[in-house]
């Protein structure tokens, strides 16, 4: 299969619906967390007599979690390998999961728990969110190259609701949620040079990815970021600007972040005055800015998304006075954020006052509002079901510990699969087996690193 044919296979799509993407994003992790808590009960740290897990117990735990947490994400994104529409796939998976869930509750006769004096699990909720976003992304970056992956879930060429369009936005949101400023830690101002040096590994990864893609003649989606720009460059730019320009920690930084949102408002106005047509037009000149216009201009939108996530993290999760579950004001704040985000999204988009189309390519206000609404909804769902003294998803904890390394491994494996087989010639069920095996390897590496207490910082 030629490079041109592979590129054509992932180009020219207009996406699905906002509801379809929302449910595909929320259903697998929420069901997985519910089932994990029901199956494994109280956390080992809350049981003084608990013994360390043996290798056999660890393998069993990994197998069970993989079946109830990871496979649902694979099945739902790939529609179970059958000719099912989104509603049928969703309904079947939901029905099966809740049948198992309520059966387990009946068998265990779970006692009612008093949450009033239990510590609020901020870290646990944020960890689950970050890892859930990562897992959905790992599945999609390989699954998209198979015919079993619905084309409406691909990145949209200009505007629309594509599941894969949420990827970078969700990573940026997760980064802002637990940034040093969000947690009230770190220096008040690191400076651009110090921030660049800290982000240098991301820049190197971006440069290596760009060189490898060109050198191996690997398929590209140029309209995503541009000719040379990529995901790693975006993360690098966000890190440099958020910590170096806006300030990394302390009580300051509010006015600077407000300035970024004001600048983003000007950018959105410019988009409506013709800038959007410039970004989305066909063809590119030899000018380096024009060749990478999506990535360079879109950085302001992603930085604004990062700033809003910082605000959410600071007021809903990392406040110093948030100490008890029963007194958790952050829950009310988060509920308000979700409602406000969806109201703003509806006002901005096609059915609202401004009639804006969601555009990941320009990272416009409608896209930013959509990404905030979906991610805040996932956080609220997790906050509603997480029980502080019960076990978390071990695979999610492992992925969160070495998130960037695991993501890099997923990218390398994706490239290896694409260079090894003709993905377009593979049948649906075989495609699901390949993606499931790949996810098993990715999650397995994360678990091994965690088991040996290894944290690799990039």
């Amino acid at each position: 299969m030629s490079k041109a044919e592979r590129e054509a296979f992932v180009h020219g799509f207009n996406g699905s619906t906002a509801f379809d993407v929302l449910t595909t994003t929320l259903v697998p992790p929420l069901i997985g967390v519910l089932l994990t808590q029901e199956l494994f009960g109280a956390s080992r740290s809350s049981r003084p007599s608990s013994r360390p897990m043996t290798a056999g117990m660890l393998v069993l735990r990994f197998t069970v979690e993989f079946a109830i947490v990871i496979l649902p994400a694979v099945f739902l994104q790939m529609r179970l390998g059958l000719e099912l529409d989104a509603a049928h796939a969703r309904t079947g998976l939901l029905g099966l999961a809740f049948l198992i869930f309520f059966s387990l509750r009946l068998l265990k006769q779970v006692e009612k728990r008093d949450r009033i004096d239990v510590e609020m699990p901020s870290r646990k909720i944020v960890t689950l969110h970050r890892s859930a976003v990562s897992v959905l992304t790992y599945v999609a970056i390989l699954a998209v190259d198979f015919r079993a992956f619905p084309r409406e879930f691909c990145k949209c060429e200009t505007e629309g609701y594509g599941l894969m369009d949420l990827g970078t936005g969700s990573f940026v949101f997760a980064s802002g949620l637990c940034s040093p400023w969000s947690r009230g830690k770190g220096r008040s101002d690191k400076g651009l040079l110090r921030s660049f040096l800290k982000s240098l590994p991301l820049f190197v990864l971006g440069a290596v990815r760009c060189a490898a893609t060109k050198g191996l003649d690997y398929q590209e989606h140029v309209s995503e970021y541009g000719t040379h720009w990529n995901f790693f460059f975006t993360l690098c730019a966000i890190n440099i600007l958020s910590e170096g320009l806006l300030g990394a920690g302390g009580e300051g930084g509010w006015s600077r972040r407000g300035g970024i949102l004001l600048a983003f408002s000007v950018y959105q106005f410019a988009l409506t005055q013709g800038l959007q047509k410039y970004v989305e037009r066909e063809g590119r000149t030899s000018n380096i800015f024009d060749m990478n216009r999506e990535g360079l201009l879109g950085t302001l939108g992603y930085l604004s998304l990062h700033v809003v996530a910082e605000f959410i993290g600071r007021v809903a999760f990392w406040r110093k006075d948030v100490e008890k579950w029963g007194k958790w004001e952050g829950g009310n704040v988060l509920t308000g954020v979700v409602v406000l985000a969806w109201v703003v999204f509806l006002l901005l988009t096609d059915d609202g006052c401004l009639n804006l189309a969601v555009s990941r390519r320009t990272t416009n206000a409608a896209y930013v509002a959509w990404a905030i609404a979906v991610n805040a909804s996932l956080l609220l769902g997790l906050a509603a079901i997480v029980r502080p003294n019960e076990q978390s998803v071990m695979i999610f904890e492992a992925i969160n510990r070495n998130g960037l390394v695991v993501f890099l491994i997923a990218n390398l494996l994706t490239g290896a699969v694409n260079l090894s087989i003709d993905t377009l010639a593979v049948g649906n069920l075989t495609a699901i087996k390949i993606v499931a095996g790949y996810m098993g390897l990715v999650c397995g590496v994360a678990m091994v690193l965690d088991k040996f207490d290894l944290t690799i910082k990039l």
Side-chain angles (χ1 to χ4, degrees):
M1 185 67 66
S2 68
K3 175 184 175 181
E5 290 174 304
R6 287 179 179 272
E7 289 181 342
F9 186 63
V10 296
H11 278 64
F13 300 104
N14 298 317
S16 181
T17 65
F19 179 74
D20 194 9
V21 174
L22 177 67
T23 53
T24 303
T25 302
L26 266 59
V27 167
L30 294 182
I31 289 178
V33 172
L34 277 171
L35 294 179
T36 299
Q37 291 182 149
E38 290 306 313
L39 282 170
F40 300 107
S43 65
R44 301 182 69 82
S45 61
S46 67
R47 293 178 290 176
S49 60
S50 63
R51 294 175 295 178
M53 293 183 70
T54 65
M57 292 170 61
L58 189 63
V59 170
L60 177 61
R61 175 69 179 269
F62 174 81
T63 303
V64 173
E65 282 194 3
F66 188 80
I68 64 177
V69 179
I70 307 301
L71 288 182
V74 175
F75 293 155
L76 197 55
Q77 285 196 38
M78 303 185 77
R79 303 281 168 82
L80 307 175
L82 305 173
E83 295 300 325
L84 298 175
D85 60 25
H88 289 161
R90 237 180 1 249
T91 302
L93 191 61
L94 272 172
L96 177 62
F98 279 103
L99 177 63
I100 296 173
F101 171 65
F102 286 116
S103 297
L104 287 170
R105 287 187 77 82
L106 180 63
L107 289 172
K108 292 176 63 178
Q109 297 182 347
V110 179
E111 297 179 356
K112 293 182 179 179
R113 295 171 174 84
D114 184 4
R115 299 183 180 182
I116 295 178
D117 295 322
V118 180
E119 292 184 2
M120 198 284 290
S122 294
R123 180 193 175 280
K124 189 174 183 179
I125 294 169
V126 171
T127 294
L128 290 170
H129 170 268
R130 285 163 58 94
S131 299
V133 166
S134 297
V135 166
L136 291 169
T137 303
Y138 300 160
V139 173
I141 60 175
L142 177 59
V144 66
D145 296 315
F146 294 94
R147 297 189 185 278
F149 188 81
R151 293 301 92 190
E152 59 267 28
F153 281 172
C154 295
K155 291 183 174 72
C156 299
E157 197 62 32
T158 54
E159 57 193 42
Y161 305 100
L163 178 66
M164 295 192 69
D165 288 320
L166 269 180
T168 305
S170 296
F171 267 91
V172 170
F173 183 95
S175 175
L177 199 64
C178 55
S179 73
W181 186 85
S182 178
R183 289 177 287 135
K185 298 180 179 180
R187 294 165 56 93
S188 60
D189 196 346
K190 280 194 172 185
L192 290 175
L193 180 58
R194 287 173 61 91
S195 298
F196 175 76
L197 293 177
K198 179 182 175 181
S199 304
L200 189 58
L202 285 170
F203 180 82
V204 172
L205 287 174
V208 170
R209 178 181 173 82
C210 178
T213 301
K214 305 297 182 185
L216 295 173
D217 201 30
Y218 194 73
Q219 66 263 27
E220 297 178 88
H221 198 161
V222 176
S223 63
E224 182 180 2
Y225 295 108
T227 305
H228 310 102
W229 199 270
N230 57 55
F231 170 81
F232 294 108
F233 287 143
T234 294
L235 289 188
C236 179
I238 297 302
N239 284 354
I240 293 172
L241 294 173
S242 63
E243 295 191 11
L245 182 64
L246 302 182
E251 295 299 321
W254 291 93
S255 59
R256 295 182 187 181
R257 284 164 172 78
I260 289 297
L261 296 182
L262 180 61
F264 180 61
S265 299
V266 175
Y267 170 67
Q268 176 57 53
F269 177 75
L271 287 174
T272 62
Q273 299 303 304
L275 184 60
Q276 182 138 352
K277 291 183 179 179
Y278 161 71
V279 175
E280 295 177 349
R281 69 176 174 79
E282 295 290 335
R284 297 172 191 274
T285 67
S286 58
N287 181 284
I288 191 68
F289 180 88
D290 187 64
M291 294 174 73
N292 298 283
R293 55 184 185 266
E294 293 91 348
L296 292 169
L297 291 173
T299 297
L300 182 57
Y302 285 122
L303 182 59
S304 301
L305 175 57
H306 185 275
V307 164
V308 174
E310 286 187 314
F311 288 150
I312 294 173
R314 187 154 180 143
V315 301
F317 290 101
W318 309 120
R319 288 172 54 178
K320 295 178 181 179
D321 58 339
V322 177
E323 297 175 350
K324 304 294 183 181
W325 176 281
K327 299 178 181 178
W328 182 29
E329 296 178 8
N332 294 329
V333 172
L334 192 55
T335 302
V337 167
V338 171
V339 172
L340 179 62
W342 283 111
V343 168
V344 171
F345 165 74
L346 291 173
L347 289 175
L348 288 174
T349 51
D350 297 340
D351 298 325
C353 301
L354 298 184
N355 199 36
L356 297 178
V358 170
S359 174
R360 179 265 316 149
R361 191 169 175 182
T362 59
T363 323
N364 66 352
Y367 172 83
V368 171
W370 178 50
I372 293 169
V374 172
N375 281 278
S377 298
L378 177 56
L379 281 170
L380 184 60
L382 291 168
I385 64 175
V386 166
R387 296 196 285 268
N389 284 336
E390 296 201 355
Q391 295 198 43
S392 185
V393 181
M394 192 175 293
I395 292 177
F396 278 3
E397 292 281 350
I399 288 174
N400 183 68
R401 181 171 185 173
N402 289 287
L404 188 55
V405 172
V406 178
F407 178 71
L408 182 59
I409 291 170
N411 273 267
L412 292 174
L413 289 175
T414 297
V417 171
N418 274 279
L419 293 173
S420 302
I421 63 173
D422 181 1
T423 55
L424 300 186
V426 174
N428 288 355
L429 292 180
T430 302
I432 286 181
K433 293 176 184 177
I434 292 173
V435 174
Y438 145 86
M439 285 302 298
L441 188 54
V442 170
C443 295
V445 170
M447 287 288 288
V448 169
L449 291 174
D450 188 60
K451 175 64 176 177
F452 287 97
D453 199 27
L454 295 175
T455 302
I456 303 175
K457 297 289 186 182
L458 292 180

